[in-house]
Amino acid sequence: MAAVALALLGLLLAPAALPSAASPRSPSGTGPAPAATRVASGGTAALAGYAIRSTAEVPDTAAAVSTPGYATAGWHRAGPRSTVLAALVADGTHPDPFYSTDQQRIPRGDFSVPWWFRSDFTLPDTSERTSLDFSGVVSAADVYVNGRQVASAADVAGVYTRHELDITALVRAGTNTVAFRVRPNDPRKHLTLGWLDWLQPPPDANMGLVRDVLVRRRGPVSLHDAHVVTRLELPTPYPTATVAAASAELTVKAQVRNGSQESATATVTATVSGTGIVLRKNVTLRAGEVRTLIFSPDRHPQLRLTQPALWWPAGMGAQNLYGLDLTATVAGSRSDSVRHTFGIREVKAPLNSAGARQYSVNGRPLLIRGAGWSADELLRWDTTAAEDRIRAALDAGLNTLRLEGHLEPDEFFDLADRHGILTLPGWECCNKWEGPVNPSGSGEKWGAADRLTARASMAAEAARLRSHPSVLSFLIGSDFAPDAATERDYLDALRAADWPTPVIPAAADVSTPLSGPSGMRMPGPYDWVPPSYWYDKREGGATGFNSETSAGPSVPTLDTLRRMLSPAELETLWKSPSAPQYHRSPSPTYNTLKLFNDALARRYGAPRGLGDYVAKAQLSQYENVRAQFEAYARNATDASAPSTGVIYWMFNSGWTSLHWQLIDRYLDRGGAYYGAKKANEPLHIQYSYDDRTVAVINRRPAAVSGLTARVTLFGTDGTSRYDRTVRGLQVGGDGARTTALTVPALAEGQDLPDSTYLARLTLTDGAGREVSRNVYWLSTRPDVLDYGSSDWYHTPVTAHGDLTGLKSLAAATVTATARTTQHAGGRSTTTVTVRNTGSGNTPALLTDVRLVDGLDAPVLPVRWDDNQISLWPGESAVLTAEYRAADVRGGAPRIRISGWNTPTTHITPDPS
């Protein structure tokens, strides 16, 4: 127990954050052990990779394994951040777990014993102090250096705890060895991570080293826990993106540690980039002494900034960042230095009159439009792939990503800072993290050592994340709030770290003694409900802050389905609506698509084949996701019980999934994604399912006037049944709403040939340019919800809307021309002009334009400025795709055009 307490103390004294730009990820695979990592004098380097092997196959002692020169022939190779299974998949030992049921072929017994992770590093000499600095151990590890144990698994436990081990006395000039004996993981028993009902969990339960292990070399005096505390003074009224704040105060803090056996005097110099600030202070320390150094504005007036460059979320302003450089010199020689990036911004989240969290950034309120983020199932980090996903989230109009556990490495938060997407990190539900408080979860109760690990985890993550301006809050609970003792531990650790943003006790609607009400709620749903559900201010409808919710299943595009499922599984997908689906969820609540498939058949008609099933799924997902975001946007400015935030569950999946995703594993984008993108347009016209009003939402900072809204209703025969134009509309900024008109109710047989009809909404600016277009397929027969029978994951439907009339739409004729332009840096742009050249009245509904390679495989990732559009005869649209030229394989790119009632055609773009 004393060892654990000492480990906690070391964490509280540890540096603030691991460098975000350590060595690039080395590929895992077979072959010789990775080359020894070279650590220069005064430098820091991440171990470049490991040789790994099951302890069941290694009879040698730990001292032998961790001694330089130990032979690793026959061992597997792993990258610098790797789970065991990630390495074994990379070297071909096990099959791709993302296809079909191949993951079931991987024997779980192979991961029931510890595995060795062994790596070498070289030092030019032993004149400096040397330490190992790491977190990310799943689940725990005994650590050895050059044949000697330096930490036990009792000390190194928990994926988020941070450890800095002084190994100065053990290292030598030349080659040194570090070896981790990594223990098996079980998220029910360890404070690590698990997958619950998100996906089929990996057989190794992610055991491994999933963050960098750093070797640091420093002089006698070292710098730790460096950070800047910012305090913003805002003018009244609050500033727009182009108006600077009145002032900001900076306080620079760091711990200065003398690691030598003698007293030492260090000169600590702090500079803040972009400000001209340079500060110096001499610090004399006894042998082994640690002291907190503070540069405050009271003593250093230059730390008071006038008109600082603020950090804003994307769409609200620029993502301005500052840099702190801190250097310690002893006797005129550099002893240590650190660089730290931060932003100046203020986040507040008071409870509104209805008890909901209302977030504001730099004094400007905003509706949180977010989604849940998933790490890769094997916890493989890829900066390019993560940036692609963050760009896709922003392109879909999201402003926030929630991380329920699975807290990604530093690069993720660096990307979020640079791109301006907000993040909501927090602990996981339902496993060990909620063991003491969640009676329905699987987590074991905590002992004294677990409480120390939890507090150390909070201290380490608070220090790591506090200066990222993208971090909006920390959720110290998920489905349940922590108990009183744990809450106190968490809050003490956050306070000690100078945590700057609101702390939320749980994602659920709870209240705790110290934090008070959460201001959030999570009533679901998590499975299918109709689009009209989102407009009611009850259950999961658009009121307050719903921390995780969606209509559940998300069937990917046909291209992706063929990559992830076997031919037999593809047949089952549409022929057997109640069959268990391995790629949905391990949970018995979600392991079929029954609710979704039943609603699909009743509303759109029974599927006639795989292609028809997928086409109907895209229509259904588009209308449902669009309605969810539109309802929360419409209700955000209500005087009573407004909506303040919604987290779509989820943005992406960690593997190939049929479940909870706006974008699929391969970054292909279907109806769910484009429904979100349409709903979250900066300037947007939308229809309300509950009262048939048409509203204009303006998310831009500035107000807009001189707008014209037009609404036209069509029968499935293509004839117009209602047409009205409203001119001279104006709408304020920052999410303001104005109502343009109310659409009349249409009746089957009287106004329409059948129960299905289409609504086309267009918004044009003062110059007559179309700035928003939105097309709905609607029914005269409402979906009827049985709220009295609601449970925690859905509300039953007793009668379904009838959209089967869409089957009677005549085939539409769509033609297109395209041109591709190559840009510097390996980027390409393809511009496509799409026209409905039909002579009748039939629209081309949900026309989908895809960039494909010479083999007709989709080029991914690709960003379309708009897609899945609906055009009436004589109408056209210009769509632009941006992508990496290297992602086009098999020749020049081609364009594939298809749609609900549009035959599939291909064209080849002209070169620019």
Side-chain angles (χ1 to χ4, degrees), residues 335-347:
S335 184
D336 195 14
S337 64
V338 295
R339 180 168 177 79
H340 172 73
T341 300
F342 66 98
I344 299 175
R345 59 89 176 89
E346 177 187 78
V347 175

Side-chain angles (χ1 to χ4, degrees), residues 78-441:
R81 308 173 188 176
S82 183
T83 65
V84 172
L85 184 55
L88 300 185
V89 168
D91 71 12
T93 300
H94 292 309
D96 174 13
F98 292 79
Y99 177 73
S100 187
T101 58
D102 281 359
Q103 184 166 267
Q104 293 180 319
R105 296 164 49 197
I106 302 172
R108 295 182 180 274
D110 290 355
F111 314 108
S112 62
V113 299
W115 278 64
W116 281 112
F117 278 65
R118 185 187 186 282
S119 188
D120 291 334
F121 61 93
T122 64
L123 302 179
D125 53 54
T126 58
S127 62
E128 298 175 302
R129 304 201 65 79
T130 304
S131 63
L132 290 178
D133 188 350
F134 61 92
S135 61
V137 178
V138 184
S139 66
D142 305 295
V143 187
Y144 299 82
V145 173
N146 291 345
R148 297 279 300 277
Q149 185 170 2
V150 295
S152 73
D155 306 316
V156 182
V159 65
Y160 302 115
T161 58
R162 180 151 180 216
H163 311 270
E164 185 169 3
L165 308 177
D166 191 330
I167 58 173
T168 303
L170 299 178
V171 296
R172 63 192 71 169
T175 302
N176 297 267
T177 299
V178 58
F180 293 81
R181 184 163 55 197
V182 178
R183 301 290 181 90
N185 183 41
D186 184 340
R188 299 171 303 166
K189 300 178 179 180
H190 307 125
L191 290 168
T192 54
L193 49 81
W195 297 97
L196 193 64
D197 48 11
W198 297 12
L199 48 76
Q200 299 289 350
D204 71 337
N206 296 125
M207 68 183 299
L209 303 178
V210 299
R211 293 183 182 171
D212 287 333
V213 175
L214 302 174
V215 182
R216 294 188 182 275
R217 304 198 71 206
R218 292 177 282 212
V221 174
S222 55
L223 300 168
H224 307 261
D225 202 33
H227 62 287
V228 178
V229 179
T230 65
R231 181 173 177 270
L232 192 58
E233 289 288 341
L234 294 169
T236 302
Y238 59 80
T240 66
T242 57
V243 177
S247 64
E249 291 186 346
L250 311 182
T251 301
V252 178
K253 293 187 177 184
Q255 290 178 349
V256 187
R257 183 184 304 174
N258 180 7
S260 71
Q261 302 297 316
E262 303 174 350
S263 64
T265 298
T267 299
V268 179
T269 303
T271 63
V272 180
S273 64
T275 66
I277 294 173
V278 179
L279 308 170
R280 287 187 179 84
K281 188 171 184 178
N282 292 328
V283 184
T284 300
L285 302 167
R286 300 184 305 273
E289 183 181 0
V290 179
R291 188 181 303 175
T292 299
L293 176 66
I294 300 176
F295 293 103
S296 68
D298 291 340
R299 291 180 174 271
H300 304 276
Q302 59 267 53
L303 289 170
R304 291 190 176 95
L305 305 181
T306 58
Q307 297 187 337
L310 301 185
W311 185 94
W312 292 94
M316 297 180 72
Q319 290 74 56
N320 297 298
L321 296 171
Y322 290 86
L324 168 69
D325 287 285
L326 215 58
T327 301
T329 58
V330 176
S333 298
R334 174 190 169 278
S335 184
D336 195 14
S337 64
V338 295
R339 180 168 177 79
H340 172 73
T341 300
F342 66 98
I344 299 175
R345 59 89 176 89
E346 177 187 78
V347 175
K348 291 187 176 180
L351 301 178
N352 65 13
S353 60
R357 291 281 172 189
Q358 175 62 71
Y359 277 93
S360 67
V361 177
N362 300 335
R364 290 169 59 192
L366 75 162
L367 172 70
I368 298 300
R369 305 184 309 277
W373 174 272
S374 175
D376 173 69
E377 184 198 25
L378 304 186
L379 303 186
R380 294 169 294 192
W381 176 255
D382 185 318
T383 300
T384 298
E387 186 167 24
D388 287 339
R389 284 166 171 78
I390 287 174
R391 289 180 186 274
L394 289 168
D395 183 55
L398 304 182
N399 59 21
T400 304
L401 294 170
R402 180 183 167 203
L403 291 80
E404 187 193 7
H406 304 78
L407 303 180
E408 294 279 38
D410 295 331
E411 291 95 330
F412 172 85
F413 295 96
D414 290 340
L415 289 170
D417 292 345
R418 293 207 320 266
H419 289 285
I421 195 159
L422 298 164
T423 62
L424 271 174
W427 302 130
E428 290 183 34
C429 90
C430 312
N431 53 28
K432 181 75 170 186
W433 286 99
E434 291 187 342
V437 293
N438 187 341
S440 60

Side-chain angles (χ1 to χ4, degrees), residues 525 527-536 550-551 595 599 603 620 623-625 627-628 631 689 781-787 794-801 803:
D527 212 324
W528 190 84
V529 292
S532 58
Y533 171 95
W534 302 107
Y535 290 84
D536 289 336
S550 75
L595 287 175
R603 299 176 86 242
S620 177
E623 63 164 344
N624 211 312
V625 174
Q628 178 175 337
Y689 281 80
R781 303 177 191 176
D783 295 287
V784 180
L785 289 146
D786 180 9
Y787 281 109
H794 86 305
T795 295
V797 176
T798 58
H800 292 82
L803 298 169

Side-chain angles (χ1 to χ4, degrees), residues 521 536-539 541-546 632 635 641-645:
R521 62 196 192 98
D536 289 336
K537 290 187 178 182
R538 56 188 300 180
E539 302 299 334
T543 182
F545 195 119
N546 196 334
Y632 273 82
N635 291 357
S643 54
T644 62

Side-chain angles (χ1 to χ4, degrees), residues 402 475 477-480 504-510 518 520-522 545-548:
R402 180 183 167 203
L475 279 71
S478 183
D479 290 26
F480 288 79
I504 311 301
D509 184 9
V510 299
S518 69
M520 293 188 176
R521 62 196 192 98
M522 46 184 301
F545 195 119
N546 196 334
S547 65
E548 50 180 65

